[in-house]
């Protein structure tokens, strides 16, 4: 009876001593022909390593061909496994044991071009298989130790390690690329002087077509789907680039500063420290709030909307100013349309709903426990911000690429946590901000002022009084009141306030 065989071929991009995948398959086919095997299926992982960051890490989750092969082995779909050598199957103990266990479960024997036939279900066969993986493991240890010594020598000499070209530097990661270095210098200067925010810098760089090398490359996910390069900056990516120690010519390793550095500085160390301190301090609340609903309104795509100003002028005529709220993704996502609405239209609409809340008695009064709760929330928000900064540093570090996927997942969790904390904070601030003239107006209404209204003029006067008081409330306090009550969204297309959905916040 002819035995059914499966072929497995694998090579990493860096492995120059092993035949290419296509050549491995030809070798295994010739082996099958010489021994009368029928090749039932071919499994391959081209350009995928079988060694993890740590010597005993498993790499199977990154090898779709190996995963399918193991499943087929366990279910007994073939009798013989063909490979040019054992290290094509695994280079670590955990992965090697998975192949041994799958072979025993499915009654599969191995035929390797370098080692001949072996049956992992027998003591002698298992010992041979383990010795093959041990050899690969030892080679990995030797290679890792050799690389570590070389890296330590290079760091001691002040040389940065290889990786993706850092923005602002040439391929050697030492010399400056003048055009990009100038952009970094100007951005640091503008941010420290308060003339441009991180978001404004990101928008300016995106509009100018400024890209890092990483932004120009497509990426293939673990599912094999090619993801297009995102050729756009965000406030987060700008902040990460501007705060790099290398910008001041500092070489670091594991968070510690190396005594020597050959990296050419873009800015002075004093500027870098001032920038980090300014970022840690955050944008002053009064400076941040320039439009009432900026960051509160959401486009129907889910992204926040921000206040913008545009101008038009015909030759010789007056200059007109237009204030709108626009979706923050309008520059980055061209795959769909995004919402835009006039600031006055949206502000008046929300103000009308706040009047309704005042009339229906939904505005709360402050309580004595609020300062303590706010202090606790502030501490949690600070811890969250520090965690985001740490995870963000992992994501932009090319030497930690094996941790990037996990870090991105952690970053999403932290962002969701921050959103919940900010909602809780805004709810508390809203209760505090019911003080002053607004609180007096609330008391007046609850004392029954409405019972004295006799004509529509009385209602009109009351509405005018509210609008006057509401207009005098500090903008950040009004924002806290709104956030505590609504999550307004704007639909794409159409005109006027009918496109706004209120989305009231459920009382906790």
């Amino acid at each position: 009876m002819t035995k059914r065989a499966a072929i497995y071929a694998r090579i990493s991009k860096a492995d120059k001593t092993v035949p290419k995948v296509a050549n491995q398959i030809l070798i295994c086919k010739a082996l099958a022909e010489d021994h009368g095997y029928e090749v039932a299926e071919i499994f391959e992982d081209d350009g995928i390593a079988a060694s993890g960051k740590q010597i005993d890490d498993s790499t199977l989750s990154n090898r779709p061909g190996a995963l399918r092969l193991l499943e087929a082995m366990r279910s007994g779909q073939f009798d013989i496994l063909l490979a040019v050598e054992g290290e094509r199957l695994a280079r670590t103990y955990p992965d090697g044991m998975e192949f041994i266990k799958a072979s025993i479960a499915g009654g599969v024997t191995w035929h390797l071009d370098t080692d001949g036939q072996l049956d992992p279900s027998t003591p002698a066969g298992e010992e041979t298989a383990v010795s093959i993986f041990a050899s690969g493991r030892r080679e990995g240890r030797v290679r890792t130790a050799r690389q570590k010594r070389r890296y330590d020598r290079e760091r001691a000499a002040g040389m940065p390690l290889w990786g993706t070209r850092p923005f602002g530097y040439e391929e050697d990661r030492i010399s400056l690329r003048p055009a990009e270095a100038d952009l970094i210098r100007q951005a640091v200067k503008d941010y420290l002087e308060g003339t441009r925010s991180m978001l404004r810098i990101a928008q300016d760089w995106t509009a100018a077509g400024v890209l890092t090398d990483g932004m120009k490359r497509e990426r293939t996910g673990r599912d094999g789907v090619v993801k297009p390069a995102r050729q756009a900056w965000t406030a987060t990516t700008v902040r990460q680039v501007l705060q790099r120690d290398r910008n001041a010519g500092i070489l670091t390793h594991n968070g510690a500063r190396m005594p020597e550095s050959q990296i050419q500085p873009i800015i002075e160390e004093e500027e870098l420290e001032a920038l980090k301190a300014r970022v840690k301090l955050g944008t002053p609340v009064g400076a941040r709030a320039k439009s009432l609903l900026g960051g509160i309104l959401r486009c129907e795509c889910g992204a926040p909307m921000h206040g913008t100003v545009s101008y038009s002028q015909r030759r010789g005529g007056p200059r007109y100013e237009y204030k709108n709220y626009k979706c923050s993704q309008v520059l980055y996502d061209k795959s769909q349309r995004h919402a835009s609405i006039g600031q006055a239209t949206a502000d008046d609409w929300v103000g009308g709903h706040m009047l309704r809340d005042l009339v229906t008695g939904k505005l709360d009064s402050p309580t004595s426990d609020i300062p303590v709760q706010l202090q606790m929330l502030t501490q949690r928000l600070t811890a969250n911000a520090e965690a985001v900064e740490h995870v963000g540093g992992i994501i932009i570090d090319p030497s930690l690429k094996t941790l990037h996927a996990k870090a991105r997942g952690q970053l999403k969790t932290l962002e969701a946590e921050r959103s919940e904390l900010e909602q809780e904070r805004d709810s508390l601030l809203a209760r505090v901000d019911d003080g002053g003239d607004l609180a007096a107006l609330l008391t007046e209404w609850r004392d029954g002022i409405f019972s004295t209204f006799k004509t529509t003029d009385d209602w009109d006067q009351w509405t005018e009084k509210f609008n006057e008081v509401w207009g005098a409330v500090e903008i950040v306090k009004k924002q806290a009141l709104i956030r505590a009550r609504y999550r307004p969204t704007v639909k794409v297309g159409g005109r006027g306030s009918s496109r706004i959905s209120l989305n009231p916040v459920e009382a906790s």
Side-chain angles (χ1 to χ4, degrees):
M1 181 177 177
T2 302
K3 293 185 176 182
R4 291 168 55 82
I7 294 174
Y8 181 70
R10 182 198 62 78
I11 188 174
S12 64
K13 292 180 181 178
D15 203 337
K16 307 297 185 184
T17 63
V18 178
K20 300 298 183 183
V21 164
N23 292 336
Q24 291 181 43
I25 293 173
L26 290 176
I27 293 171
C28 290
K29 283 184 175 180
L31 194 64
E33 185 176 351
D34 291 344
H35 291 80
Y37 303 143
E38 175 192 348
V39 176
E41 194 167 355
I42 298 174
F43 302 86
E44 59 181 276
D45 287 311
D46 198 355
I48 303 178
S51 298
K53 186 175 180 62
Q54 302 298 324
I55 196 65
D56 285 328
D57 286 348
S58 174
T59 65
L60 291 175
S61 60
N62 297 333
R63 295 197 277 158
L67 291 175
R68 291 189 296 107
L69 169 63
L70 287 169
E71 185 61 32
M73 291 171 68
R74 295 186 190 102
S75 59
Q77 295 181 21
F78 51 87
D79 310 300
I80 303 291
L81 172 59
L82 300 173
V84 294
E85 61 180 1
E87 290 186 17
R88 298 307 95 206
L89 305 178
R91 301 193 72 157
T92 67
Y93 273 139
D95 291 351
M97 291 307 300
E98 288 300 318
F99 277 94
I100 291 174
K101 289 187 290 186
S103 299
I104 295 172
V108 178
T109 58
W110 301 357
H111 198 148
L112 309 177
D113 185 53
T114 55
D115 297 279
Q117 301 182 51
L118 64 93
D119 183 355
S121 65
T122 65
E126 181 178 352
E127 183 179 351
T128 302
V130 169
S131 68
I132 291 173
F133 300 134
S135 175
R137 185 171 183 269
R138 180 181 181 281
E139 181 184 338
R141 282 186 179 277
V142 171
R143 184 176 64 251
T144 299
R146 187 166 54 244
Q147 288 177 343
K148 184 178 184 302
R149 288 195 296 271
R150 179 167 65 86
Y151 292 161
D152 289 343
R153 287 196 301 270
E154 291 181 359
R155 292 192 191 98
M159 295 287 293
L161 302 185
W162 56 269
T164 304
R165 183 186 71 83
F167 185 74
Y169 289 84
E170 296 293 351
E171 297 290 348
D172 61 7
R173 302 170 64 82
I174 295 175
S175 308
L176 300 185
R177 183 164 290 191
E180 294 178 356
D182 289 344
L183 286 172
I184 291 175
R185 288 193 195 97
Q186 189 62 48
V188 171
K189 180 176 181 293
D190 291 347
Y191 185 76
L192 290 176
E193 293 177 352
T195 57
R196 280 199 300 174
S197 66
M198 294 294 183
L199 178 61
R200 182 72 265 172
I201 296 168
Q203 293 171 340
D204 290 345
W205 285 4
T206 299
V210 176
L211 300 174
T212 67
D213 283 2
M215 290 178 180
K216 301 173 186 178
R217 293 198 304 267
E218 294 181 337
R219 287 176 169 79
T220 302
R222 293 184 177 179
D223 55 2
V225 177
V226 177
K227 300 177 181 179
R230 185 183 181 189
Q231 299 186 341
W233 291 84
T234 65
T236 299
T237 53
V238 169
R239 184 164 53 249
Q240 291 167 346
V241 166
L242 296 188
Q243 290 189 100
R244 298 175 313 188
D245 290 331
R246 71 162 37 252
N247 291 344
I250 300 171
L251 177 64
T252 60
H253 175 56
N254 289 337
R257 179 170 180 169
M258 303 300 292
E260 299 290 335
S261 175
Q262 297 188 32
I263 300 174
Q264 296 180 11
I266 298 176
I267 59 176
E268 299 294 332
E269 279 193 51
E270 292 77 8
E271 291 180 283
L272 178 64
E273 293 305 317
L275 176 72
K276 289 183 176 181
R278 180 69 183 78
V279 170
K280 187 173 184 179
L281 180 64
T283 305
V285 174
R288 185 192 309 123
K290 290 185 170 58
S291 58
L292 178 62
L293 301 178
I296 298 177
L297 277 181
R298 294 268 170 176
C299 173
E300 67 175 26
C301 75
M305 301 177 68
H306 300 293
T308 64
V309 180
S310 58
Y311 304 91
S312 69
Q313 183 177 22
R314 292 184 177 180
R315 180 174 297 181
R319 189 186 194 198
Y320 297 99
E321 179 182 273
Y322 302 94
K323 293 185 177 181
N324 298 298
Y325 293 110
K326 291 185 177 181
C327 177
S328 58
Q329 294 300 303
V330 69
L331 288 177
Y332 310 131
D333 181 9
K334 302 298 184 181
S335 64
Q336 59 181 315
R337 295 175 61 197
H338 298 277
S340 175
I341 192 170
Q343 287 190 25
T345 299
D347 292 353
D348 291 346
W349 181 85
V350 170
H353 281 281
M354 295 304 296
L355 171 60
R356 184 198 64 181
D357 283 355
L358 178 66
V359 169
T360 56
K362 291 182 179 179
L363 294 183
D364 300 324
S365 297
T367 59
S368 58
D369 65 328
I370 288 179
V372 176
Q373 294 184 53
L374 283 174
Q375 183 179 12
M376 294 173 63
L377 278 173
T378 300
Q379 292 173 351
R380 292 169 65 188
L381 282 165
T382 300
N384 178 279
E386 291 174 351
V388 168
E389 182 178 357
H390 172 70
V391 174
I394 292 175
I395 292 175
I396 65 171
D397 189 340
S399 67
L400 301 176
K401 62 192 304 184
T402 57
L403 301 177
H404 286 182
K406 184 176 181 180
R408 281 191 288 269
Q410 187 177 1
L411 189 60
K412 288 184 179 179
T413 301
L414 288 170
E415 289 173 347
E417 179 189 59
R418 183 172 187 82
S419 178
E420 292 179 2
L421 291 173
E422 287 177 341
Q423 289 180 20
E424 188 175 350
R425 178 199 61 192
D426 291 336
S427 181
L428 289 171
L429 286 174
R431 292 163 62 194
V432 173
D433 293 332
D434 288 339
D437 292 341
L438 200 57
L441 207 66
L442 171 63
T443 301
E444 190 176 0
W445 180 262
R446 289 178 175 172
D447 286 344
I449 185 66
F450 56 85
S451 62
T452 65
F453 294 170
K454 301 185 183 303
T455 65
T456 55
D457 286 343
D458 294 330
W459 281 99
D460 291 342
Q461 289 175 11
W462 173 263
T463 301
E464 185 177 343
K465 184 177 181 180
F466 168 80
N467 289 334
E468 181 181 347
V469 172
W470 176 251
V473 175
E474 188 179 349
I475 188 170
V476 292
K477 295 183 177 181
K478 287 193 285 192
Q479 288 179 329
L481 285 163
I482 295 167
R483 283 196 181 99
R485 290 163 174 79
Y486 311 123
R487 296 289 179 267
T489 59
V490 182
K491 294 181 180 178
V492 175
R495 300 175 65 86
S497 61
S498 61
R499 297 183 293 133
I500 307 176
S501 299
L502 192 60
N503 304 323
V505 175
E506 295 183 5
S508 58

